[in-house]
Each structure stands twice: as structure tokens, then as C-alpha cells.
Amino acid sequence: MKMTFFAVAAATLLASSAAYSADVFQPEPQPIMDAPEVAVAEASGWYLRGDLGYSFNRLRGAEFYQGSNATVSEFDDIDLKDSFTIGAGIGYQVNSYLRTDLTFDYMNKSDFRGSTSGGGAGFGACVTACTSEDLSALRAYTLMANAYIDLGNYAYFTPYVGAGMGGSYVRWDNLNNTSCADDGSGCDTTVEHGGRGSWRFAYQLMAGASIDVTCNVKADVGYRFRHTLGGAMFGYEQNGGPGSDDGFYSHELHAGARYMFGGCAQPVAFEPPPQEIVYK
């Protein structure tokens, strides 16, 4: 009887211990892992841009046929005035460092003044030495394909450099030529030469900085150098012409803005891995 009693007691104790152990079982803790950093989607996509600028212009030279179109002469003095510009474009931000765009801009009226001096024309007031005054103006419409490299973001500023190439339609107004005698005896009647227009090759180099206004609006200020090649300038009239220019340089300061489509960059949500279910 004693042995039976002790066997039953031992069995009861073992069963209660097992039950208690099952009740207090805790799963092994998962190894601690560093939470990944929250990633931010890189901004990219289409944008629109607009710019206003002021261009300092320099004509590289101009020449014309004189007399019976057998002699080519150059203007002794030339001056091309500064002008305003306005432009717009559409572009694509490829990544944080590269973007491209297609731009069209208009250079407002830039006045031209030239002069020549020499022997008399042989008629009118200018029968001896005389000096001519030649007045005209040009306008330019330019289409450019551009690429830019952004040089990193510093607070709200992103400096950049860029280059572009394309075509420019340069339109000259009529040129008015007035010759006056150097001795002050008088001037000939003004001769009007018809202005000419032509498409020319052009290229440009840029540098500037973008300024973050909002997450999808950026102000843009910068400098642009443009070289527009030469072409037709004015036509023939009364033993003078036609004439052509040797192209011109433009040094432009501009300010504008870019609007990025697609909204602002959004954080990439982090979802923790599913935990293994432990049953008691």
C-alpha cells in the first residue's frame, strides 16, 4: 500500500509540474536587429520652366559689298545694344544629378549702329571725304536642347553647370544708311536697305543655382553665355549691299522658376517582418 501511495503521489506531482511549465512557457526572443533607415524616393520626372533675363550683346563684325558688288568692305565701328530676354521650356529630371530640357526664348529688340568713312560717293553732298551712319536692329528666336549636372544639394541650394546647342532665327530690321560730308557741307538722302532673316547654329554654356522654394517649386538664377553664328543682314540698294554679320556673343543674367510634376518625394514605408505565431 505504501508503495502504491508513493507512486500515485509521484505521478500527480510530475503531471502538475508539466502543466505549470506549459503555462509559463515563453518563446525565445528574436534576435535584435537594427531597424533600417527610412528611405526617401528620389525626385525625378517632368518639369516646366520659365525665365526672364538681361543680355549683354557684342557683334563680332559686319561686312557688305560696295559699289558694283566687286569690293567687300567692313564697318569701321559697330555697336549692338543690350536687350531683354524671355523664355520657357519643358524638361525631365533624370536623377539627383542629371536633368535635360528643351527651351525656346526670345531676345527683344537690340539696336545696331555702324559707321564707315572714306572717299566721297561721287554724287550729292558727299563728293569728298564722308562718313556714314547705319542704323538697324535685330531680334532672335532660339530653340535649344540642354543638359545640366547638379553639383549636390547644400541646404536649400543646388549649384549646377550645363551646356546646350540648337538653332537661332535672327531677324534684322531695315538698315538706314545716311552719308554726310566730313566738311559739314551736308548729307545725302537716307538709303534704306531691306533687312534679312536667317537660321543660324547656336550653342551656349550655363552656370547657376537652384533654390528650393517648396518640394516641387525651385527658383533658378544663373549666367548664360551664347554664341550665335553669322548670317544675312541686309539687302542691295543703290550700289551698296548686300551685307552680312559675323555672328554675336550674348552674356545673359537670368532668373526664373521650375515646377516639378508628380508632387513631392514620399518616404518609403517600412513594414517589420511577420512574427512567428507561438501556441501554448
Side-chain angles (χ1 to χ4, degrees), residues 3 65 76 96 101 105 112 149 192 195 221 228 241 259 272 278:
M3 293 297 295
Y65 287 96
D76 294 334
S96 297
D101 59 32
D105 62 74
F112 165 82
I149 297 177
E192 185 175 80
V221 293
T228 304
Y259 176 81
V278 178

Side-chain angles (χ1 to χ4, degrees), residues 29-238:
Q30 297 293 326
I32 298 176
M33 301 175 60
D34 293 334
E37 296 181 1
V38 177
V40 177
E42 187 176 74
S44 63
W46 296 97
Y47 64 84
L48 291 177
R49 66 175 299 160
D51 298 276
L52 292 173
Y54 189 80
S55 181
F56 302 88
N57 306 312
R58 185 173 74 84
L59 194 66
R60 300 183 66 234
E63 60 186 22
F64 58 94
Y65 287 96
Q66 190 175 38
S68 60
N69 287 353
T71 304
V72 178
S73 300
E74 294 185 351
F75 287 93
D76 294 334
D77 295 297
I78 54 174
D79 180 48
L80 189 63
K81 298 297 184 181
D82 305 333
S83 57
F84 291 96
T85 64
I86 183 171
I90 183 171
Y92 189 79
Q93 184 84 39
V94 180
N95 53 44
S96 297
Y97 302 98
L98 177 65
R99 56 188 170 90
T100 62
D101 59 32
L102 184 67
T103 57
F104 176 80
D105 62 74
Y106 167 66
M107 188 177 79
N108 194 23
K109 178 181 178 182
S110 178
D111 291 326
F112 165 82
R113 181 185 182 280
S115 66
T116 59
S117 60
F123 62 91
C126 198
V127 294
T128 57
C130 61
T131 299
S132 72
E133 182 181 56
D134 301 271
L135 303 177
S136 184
L138 69 79
R139 297 168 175 82
Y141 308 82
T142 305
L143 185 66
M144 282 280 184
N146 309 290
Y148 309 85
I149 297 177
D150 292 331
L151 304 176
N153 183 267
Y154 305 91
Y156 297 101
F157 296 88
T158 303
Y160 66 83
V161 294
M165 64 175 56
S168 184
Y169 183 77
V170 177
R171 177 67 192 178
W172 282 96
D173 290 350
N174 294 342
L175 181 136
N176 296 311
N177 169 261
T178 305
S179 295
C180 297
D182 291 346
D183 60 8
S185 58
C187 299
D188 290 337
T189 302
T190 297
V191 177
E192 185 175 80
H193 299 259
R196 295 290 186 263
S198 61
W199 279 101
R200 297 109 176 270
F201 176 77
Y203 69 88
Q204 59 189 19
L205 302 172
M206 297 85 75
S210 301
I211 305 169
D212 296 335
V213 180
T214 68
C215 54
N216 56 359
V217 175
K218 297 179 182 294
D220 190 310
V221 293
Y223 162 80
R224 176 171 67 195
F225 165 79
R226 178 180 294 168
H227 178 195
T228 304
L229 272 60
M233 184 176 179
F234 57 87
Y236 173 84
E237 188 67 36
Q238 293 190 15

